[in-house]
Amino acid sequence: MWWQDAVVYQIYPRSFQDSDGDGVGDLRGIGRRLDHLTYLGVDAFWLSPIYPSPLADFGYDISNYTAVDPAFGTLGDLDELVAHAHERGLRVLLDLVPSHTSIEHPWFREHPDWYIWSPVDGPPNNWKAAFGGGAWSRDEQTGRWYLHTFYPEQPDLDWRNPEVVAAMQEVVRFWLRRGVDGFRVDAVNVLVKDAELRDDPPATETFPLPLVGESAELEHVYSADRPEVVDALAAIREAAGDALLVGEVYLPATRSARYLTQLDLVFAFELLFSPWEAEALRAAIGAAAELGRVAWVLSNHDFERLATRVGPENVRAAAVLLLTLPGAAFVYQGDEIGLPNGPGADPPYDRAGRDPLRHPMQWDASPAGGFTTGDPWLPPIDPAERNVEAQRGDPGSLLELYRTLIALRRGLGDGFRLVDAEPGVVAFERGGHTVAVNTTAEPRLAPAGELVLATHEGEGLPPHAALIMRN
Ligand code: NOJ
């Protein structure tokens, strides 16, 4: 399978490259920048949603599943992008958002029975929305209450209705016919809810991944993670054939196995949220590695950027970790040049506070960073100090480290075993290699062997450094 050890590059289309000067990235812009992806050596890219959307959740509230938002271009532009990507050996993943539509999707009025409604005049249970507040809202037009796991503008589809299943299968087929190679599937663990809409019980222990507000006080056993989700995913799999399906399963690895009966990969979210400390990283890696088919990920458009979360001093070691773990790895645009969180917009576009993670790519040192000739929807953060052009060809740059690691990772060999190491060091063996990552500000001893790659110069395993050794 091509994806088994693939590196997938996440493109946030609004912020990658603008081609028409309106300050918003678009598909033609992405086409112009494919060189960057082939230079890095990645195998595929994932486009966050490109469909028409009223932008309550920036594309994750979809009002037409089988069209391209005019801000991004046309279906023809998408076809062209897919063709150009394939010519270069790059595969294309789209974002499939099956659990909810935009409230402005025509389905909401034409097929109200495709959605989940309260049987009473008010919320029928205690379920909470992921971004805060209750999960039920009153539809002003009909006076009935509908379920929304995310924003009120995102009503949840009822996957117990066979018409919903058939409609979404048709969406999958539509894009596959256009040549895409797979999907990142959004919010998989909340796809199916309890048929009886039972109350979620109070949480008895802290959920291992971050939850917002009151949602953290409940154990999501009825509003999410239903065993029947496997049937829904089987229907998606049936339509997808052997296209890649990567699930956003927002659960610890120990609870994700059933999703892998239908999906190829699930994101290893415990790694994304792990503090940059050896013990926590080892635990996150161990659990996910045991699960097998995981997509390693250290940041995306929803959570703090990698450079901000681990600190700029650790971005080189983080790159080594991400790209040497066994299996597929996802890189969020900008992480390869060390882009930190930005200031966001005032007033914010995203009510959940995610603007800072979505600033434009910085291609060159010009004020707009080469992203647009117009007024960017979010300003570039620091293009003069940090950009692709300056890092390209500079052997000491983070970009070149990513490139080297991507070229090197296939040769690391099979097998995986976490090995004992000094305090503050994460170490593991792969094939005939040892990887050691020093999470501390103190020097540590280097593992034995012949040096293959070092993130820092110096004796042993310098502070914040990583090494790859051949045993
Ligand atoms: C996960 C997506 O990554 C996020 O951006 C979105 O807000 C929610 N799912 C709801 O679709």
Side-chain angles (χ1 to χ4, degrees):
M1 296 294 177
W2 68 266
W3 45 262
Q4 253 158 4
D5 57 0
V7 179
V8 181
Y9 186 92
Q10 182 190 353
I11 291 180
Y12 195 70
R14 284 184 83 75
S15 302
F16 196 61
Q17 178 64 54
D18 178 21
S19 73
D20 58 8
D22 67 355
V24 170
D26 48 46
L27 296 176
R28 285 177 175 230
I30 294 169
R32 283 198 206 156
R33 295 291 187 186
L34 289 183
D35 258 353
H36 178 62
L37 275 61
T38 44
Y39 185 77
L40 273 172
V42 302
D43 302 279
F45 57 91
W46 149 36
L47 300 176
S48 277
I50 54 165
Y51 323 105
S53 163
L55 302 184
D57 191 9
F58 278 83
Y60 287 94
D61 50 323
I62 297 170
S63 53
N64 182 351
Y65 281 91
T66 51
V68 169
D69 192 295
F72 294 138
T74 63
L75 271 177
D77 293 334
L78 193 267
D79 292 342
E80 208 165 288
L81 178 62
V82 171
H84 286 161
H86 286 169
E87 276 162 25
R88 292 162 178 264
L90 290 166
R91 290 178 155 103
V92 184
L93 306 183
L94 296 185
D95 213 311
L96 182 70
V97 186
S99 77
H100 48 267
T101 69
S102 161
I103 199 159
E104 292 179 33
H105 195 300
W107 290 349
F108 191 65
R109 297 292 164 209
E110 289 167 11
H111 300 287
D113 55 322
W114 289 13
Y115 294 81
I116 299 175
W117 299 89
S118 169
V120 297
D121 182 17
N125 59 29
N126 67 350
W127 295 356
K128 300 290 178 254
F131 297 133
W136 298 88
S137 286
R138 187 169 180 276
D139 168 33
E140 295 305 328
Q141 277 192 33
T142 60
R144 295 165 71 204
W145 291 70
Y146 64 90
L147 179 66
H148 54 87
T149 301
F150 297 94
Y151 289 130
E153 294 92 330
Q154 295 167 292
D156 283 6
L157 286 163
D158 182 2
W159 272 77
R160 294 174 189 275
N161 183 334
E163 289 175 13
V164 168
V165 177
M168 205 55 74
Q169 285 184 313
E170 212 23 62
V171 170
V172 168
R173 293 193 193 101
F174 175 87
W175 293 110
L176 290 176
R177 281 196 296 270
R178 301 198 95 88
V180 309
D181 302 284
F183 301 90
R184 173 267 192 190
V185 192
D186 188 72
V188 171
N189 53 303
V190 295
L191 193 54
V192 178
K193 286 87 178 171
D194 181 41
E196 296 168 42
L197 305 177
R198 280 171 280 189
D199 273 358
D200 277 334
T204 50
E205 51 191 53
T206 311
F207 189 66
L209 310 175
L211 294 174
V212 173
E214 294 163 298
S215 167
E217 292 162 19
L218 297 174
E219 199 171 323
H220 300 260
V221 289
Y222 293 118
S223 59
D225 197 22
R226 301 305 303 157
E228 305 92 300
V229 72
V230 174
D231 304 329
L233 293 176
I236 295 177
R237 168 55 73 198
E238 183 189 86
D242 62 2
L244 173 60
L245 296 176
V246 187
E248 189 208 20
V249 177
Y250 199 71
L251 291 172
T254 46
R255 286 174 58 188
S256 298
R258 71 160 145 244
Y259 297 84
L260 284 173
T261 62
Q262 307 301 327
L263 303 175
D264 298 303
L265 297 166
V266 296
F267 287 114
F269 279 116
E270 281 147 308
L271 183 66
L272 188 148
F273 294 114
S274 171
W276 196 248
E277 293 164 10
E279 275 320 301
L281 289 167
R282 283 174 67 93
I285 292 167
E290 205 164 303
L291 187 65
R293 291 178 276 123
V294 289
W296 302 106
V297 59
L298 288 176
S299 81
N300 66 26
H301 63 292
D302 288 330
F303 305 107
E304 283 220 303
R305 271 200 169 274
L306 178 57
T308 299
R309 194 165 58 76
V310 303
E313 68 283 13
N314 289 311
V315 291
R316 293 178 68 81
V320 171
L321 186 67
L322 177 67
L323 294 166
T324 58
L325 287 169
F330 276 58
V331 175
Y332 180 40
Q333 69 176 51
D335 281 355
E336 75 278 30
I337 55 169
L339 204 63
N341 286 2
D346 186 17
Y349 291 107
D350 180 53
R351 280 132 64 195
R354 293 168 294 179
D355 296 343
L357 330 168
R358 300 171 177 180
H359 284 260
M361 256 316 261
Q362 299 179 174
W363 300 104
D364 60 39
S366 66
F371 164 67
T372 181
T373 54
D375 193 12
W377 76 285
L378 277 176
I381 301 167
D382 53 2
E385 291 89 67
R386 191 191 315 274
N387 66 71
V388 170
E389 193 177 79
Q391 293 195 23
R392 203 164 159 153
D394 170 359
S397 72
L398 186 61
L399 177 70
E400 291 300 330
L401 177 65
Y402 269 79
R403 185 167 181 244
T404 305
L405 286 164
I406 290 169
L408 198 145
R409 58 189 255 113
R410 297 237 157 82
L412 288 178
D414 293 332
F416 174 78
R417 192 169 70 92
L418 282 163
V419 293
D420 288 341
E422 288 182 283
V425 174
V426 181
F428 54 88
E429 284 179 1
R430 276 198 65 185
H433 295 85
T434 301
V435 177
V437 175
N438 183 356
T439 62
T440 76
E442 315 292 331
R444 294 285 187 259
L445 293 174
E450 179 197 337
L451 182 67
V452 176
L453 179 139
T455 56
H456 294 65
E457 283 179 12
E459 292 295 302
L461 179 56
H464 307 295
L467 295 172
I468 304 176
M469 312 295 286
R470 191 173 296 113
N471 300 340

mmCIF file of all heavy atoms in Angstrom, residues 57 60 97 100 131 150 154 184 186 248 301-302 354 358, ligand 1:
data_model
loop_
_atom_site.group_PDB
_atom_site.id
_atom_site.type_symbol
_atom_site.label_atom_id
_atom_site.label_comp_id
_atom_site.label_asym_id
_atom_site.label_seq_id
_atom_site.Cartn_x
_atom_site.Cartn_y
_atom_site.Cartn_z
ATOM 1 N N ASP A 57 -17.574 27.467 10.219
ATOM 2 C CA ASP A 57 -16.441 26.669 10.680
ATOM 3 C C ASP A 57 -15.426 26.506 9.545
ATOM 4 O O ASP A 57 -14.840 25.445 9.362
ATOM 5 C CB ASP A 57 -16.930 25.306 11.191
ATOM 6 C CG ASP A 57 -15.839 24.527 11.926
ATOM 7 O OD1 ASP A 57 -14.759 25.111 12.189
ATOM 8 O OD2 ASP A 57 -16.051 23.339 12.215
ATOM 9 N N TYR A 60 -15.693 23.469 7.246
ATOM 10 C CA TYR A 60 -16.216 22.254 7.873
ATOM 11 C C TYR A 60 -17.731 22.363 8.079
ATOM 12 O O TYR A 60 -18.341 21.501 8.695
ATOM 13 C CB TYR A 60 -15.473 21.952 9.181
ATOM 14 C CG TYR A 60 -14.070 21.436 8.879
ATOM 15 C CD1 TYR A 60 -12.979 22.301 8.836
ATOM 16 C CD2 TYR A 60 -13.855 20.090 8.589
ATOM 17 C CE1 TYR A 60 -11.710 21.834 8.522
ATOM 18 C CE2 TYR A 60 -12.587 19.617 8.283
ATOM 19 C CZ TYR A 60 -11.520 20.487 8.251
ATOM 20 O OH TYR A 60 -10.270 20.024 7.938
ATOM 21 N N VAL A 97 -16.459 15.244 5.212
ATOM 22 C CA VAL A 97 -17.083 15.689 6.464
ATOM 23 C C VAL A 97 -18.494 15.080 6.534
ATOM 24 O O VAL A 97 -19.476 15.714 6.163
ATOM 25 C CB VAL A 97 -17.128 17.236 6.538
ATOM 26 C CG1 VAL A 97 -17.650 17.703 7.896
ATOM 27 C CG2 VAL A 97 -15.742 17.819 6.265
ATOM 28 N N HIS A 100 -21.860 16.097 9.726
ATOM 29 C CA HIS A 100 -22.755 17.262 9.809
ATOM 30 C C HIS A 100 -22.639 18.054 8.525
ATOM 31 O O HIS A 100 -21.617 17.989 7.834
ATOM 32 C CB HIS A 100 -22.380 18.141 10.997
ATOM 33 C CG HIS A 100 -20.915 18.437 11.060
ATOM 34 N ND1 HIS A 100 -20.030 17.668 11.784
ATOM 35 C CD2 HIS A 100 -20.152 19.380 10.458
ATOM 36 C CE1 HIS A 100 -18.808 18.131 11.637
ATOM 37 N NE2 HIS A 100 -18.838 19.165 10.828
ATOM 38 N N PHE A 131 -17.532 22.769 20.945
ATOM 39 C CA PHE A 131 -16.930 24.102 21.104
ATOM 40 C C PHE A 131 -17.535 24.865 22.278
ATOM 41 O O PHE A 131 -17.373 26.067 22.410
ATOM 42 C CB PHE A 131 -17.110 24.927 19.822
ATOM 43 C CG PHE A 131 -16.410 24.339 18.617
ATOM 44 C CD1 PHE A 131 -17.068 24.230 17.402
ATOM 45 C CD2 PHE A 131 -15.092 23.916 18.689
ATOM 46 C CE1 PHE A 131 -16.433 23.696 16.289
ATOM 47 C CE2 PHE A 131 -14.449 23.377 17.585
ATOM 48 C CZ PHE A 131 -15.120 23.266 16.374
ATOM 49 N N PHE A 150 -21.028 20.227 16.892
ATOM 50 C CA PHE A 150 -20.082 21.351 16.810
ATOM 51 C C PHE A 150 -20.879 22.667 16.899
ATOM 52 O O PHE A 150 -21.755 22.781 17.751
ATOM 53 C CB PHE A 150 -19.217 21.205 15.557
ATOM 54 C CG PHE A 150 -18.372 19.947 15.613
ATOM 55 C CD1 PHE A 150 -18.804 18.761 15.043
ATOM 56 C CD2 PHE A 150 -17.163 19.930 16.308
ATOM 57 C CE1 PHE A 150 -18.054 17.594 15.134
ATOM 58 C CE2 PHE A 150 -16.402 18.765 16.413
ATOM 59 C CZ PHE A 150 -16.853 17.602 15.816
ATOM 60 N N GLN A 154 -23.956 23.820 12.332
ATOM 61 C CA GLN A 154 -23.537 22.514 11.791
ATOM 62 C C GLN A 154 -24.446 21.386 12.303
ATOM 63 O O GLN A 154 -24.033 20.583 13.150
ATOM 64 C CB GLN A 154 -22.081 22.235 12.185
ATOM 65 C CG GLN A 154 -21.081 23.198 11.562
ATOM 66 C CD GLN A 154 -19.709 23.095 12.197
ATOM 67 O OE1 GLN A 154 -19.529 23.457 13.363
ATOM 68 N NE2 GLN A 154 -18.745 22.573 11.460
ATOM 69 N N ARG A 184 -9.335 12.261 4.169
ATOM 70 C CA ARG A 184 -9.227 12.377 5.622
ATOM 71 C C ARG A 184 -10.683 12.536 6.079
ATOM 72 O O ARG A 184 -11.411 13.382 5.569
ATOM 73 C CB ARG A 184 -8.363 13.604 5.946
ATOM 74 C CG ARG A 184 -8.297 13.963 7.431
ATOM 75 C CD ARG A 184 -9.354 14.972 7.785
ATOM 76 N NE ARG A 184 -9.134 15.542 9.104
ATOM 77 C CZ ARG A 184 -10.032 16.294 9.714
ATOM 78 N NH1 ARG A 184 -11.170 16.599 9.157
ATOM 79 N NH2 ARG A 184 -9.783 16.778 10.919
ATOM 80 N N ASP A 186 -13.529 13.406 8.659
ATOM 81 C CA ASP A 186 -13.696 14.309 9.795
ATOM 82 C C ASP A 186 -14.573 13.684 10.888
ATOM 83 O O ASP A 186 -15.572 13.032 10.593
ATOM 84 C CB ASP A 186 -14.387 15.582 9.262
ATOM 85 C CG ASP A 186 -14.472 16.695 10.271
ATOM 86 O OD1 ASP A 186 -13.433 17.298 10.574
ATOM 87 O OD2 ASP A 186 -15.589 16.976 10.766
ATOM 88 N N GLU A 248 -10.207 10.958 11.521
ATOM 89 C CA GLU A 248 -10.023 11.824 12.683
ATOM 90 C C GLU A 248 -10.863 11.222 13.810
ATOM 91 O O GLU A 248 -12.028 11.554 13.999
ATOM 92 C CB GLU A 248 -10.478 13.258 12.384
ATOM 93 C CG GLU A 248 -10.085 14.197 13.498
ATOM 94 C CD GLU A 248 -11.005 15.399 13.659
ATOM 95 O OE1 GLU A 248 -12.160 15.383 13.187
ATOM 96 O OE2 GLU A 248 -10.575 16.374 14.292
ATOM 97 N N HIS A 301 -4.636 22.271 11.773
ATOM 98 C CA HIS A 301 -5.304 23.569 11.763
ATOM 99 C C HIS A 301 -6.206 23.790 12.976
ATOM 100 O O HIS A 301 -6.873 24.820 13.052
ATOM 101 C CB HIS A 301 -6.138 23.680 10.475
ATOM 102 C CG HIS A 301 -7.216 22.637 10.444
ATOM 103 N ND1 HIS A 301 -6.938 21.288 10.310
ATOM 104 C CD2 HIS A 301 -8.554 22.724 10.576
ATOM 105 C CE1 HIS A 301 -8.071 20.609 10.352
ATOM 106 N NE2 HIS A 301 -9.066 21.450 10.511
ATOM 107 N N ASP A 302 -6.256 22.833 13.895
ATOM 108 C CA ASP A 302 -7.153 22.939 15.051
ATOM 109 C C ASP A 302 -6.432 23.209 16.365
ATOM 110 O O ASP A 302 -7.057 23.668 17.318
ATOM 111 C CB ASP A 302 -7.936 21.623 15.232
ATOM 112 C CG ASP A 302 -8.980 21.417 14.173
ATOM 113 O OD1 ASP A 302 -9.515 22.414 13.653
ATOM 114 O OD2 ASP A 302 -9.272 20.242 13.852
ATOM 115 N N ARG A 354 -9.182 29.570 16.632
ATOM 116 C CA ARG A 354 -8.153 28.869 15.865
ATOM 117 C C ARG A 354 -7.491 29.698 14.764
ATOM 118 O O ARG A 354 -6.631 29.183 14.041
ATOM 119 C CB ARG A 354 -8.746 27.573 15.290
ATOM 120 C CG ARG A 354 -9.092 26.566 16.386
ATOM 121 C CD ARG A 354 -9.927 25.420 15.859
ATOM 122 N NE ARG A 354 -11.240 25.888 15.423
ATOM 123 C CZ ARG A 354 -12.185 25.113 14.891
ATOM 124 N NH1 ARG A 354 -11.938 23.830 14.732
ATOM 125 N NH2 ARG A 354 -13.352 25.611 14.531
ATOM 126 N N ARG A 358 -3.715 29.467 11.485
ATOM 127 C CA ARG A 358 -4.106 29.401 10.078
ATOM 128 C C ARG A 358 -3.535 30.553 9.257
ATOM 129 O O ARG A 358 -4.066 30.877 8.195
ATOM 130 C CB ARG A 358 -5.640 29.370 10.017
ATOM 131 C CG ARG A 358 -6.191 28.168 10.750
ATOM 132 C CD ARG A 358 -7.696 28.177 10.912
ATOM 133 N NE ARG A 358 -8.136 26.930 11.567
ATOM 134 C CZ ARG A 358 -9.403 26.629 11.847
ATOM 135 N NH1 ARG A 358 -10.370 27.467 11.531
ATOM 136 N NH2 ARG A 358 -9.705 25.495 12.440
HETATM 137 C C1 NOJ B 1 -12.478 18.619 12.969
HETATM 138 C C2 NOJ B 1 -11.924 19.657 12.047
HETATM 139 O O1 NOJ B 1 -10.552 19.460 11.897
HETATM 140 C C3 NOJ B 1 -12.258 20.991 12.668
HETATM 141 O O2 NOJ B 1 -11.602 22.046 12.032
HETATM 142 C C4 NOJ B 1 -13.751 21.153 12.661
HETATM 143 O O3 NOJ B 1 -14.093 22.340 13.350
HETATM 144 C C5 NOJ B 1 -14.461 19.975 13.316
HETATM 145 N N1 NOJ B 1 -13.894 18.701 12.972
HETATM 146 C C6 NOJ B 1 -15.907 19.940 12.912
HETATM 147 O O4 NOJ B 1 -16.018 19.589 11.555
#
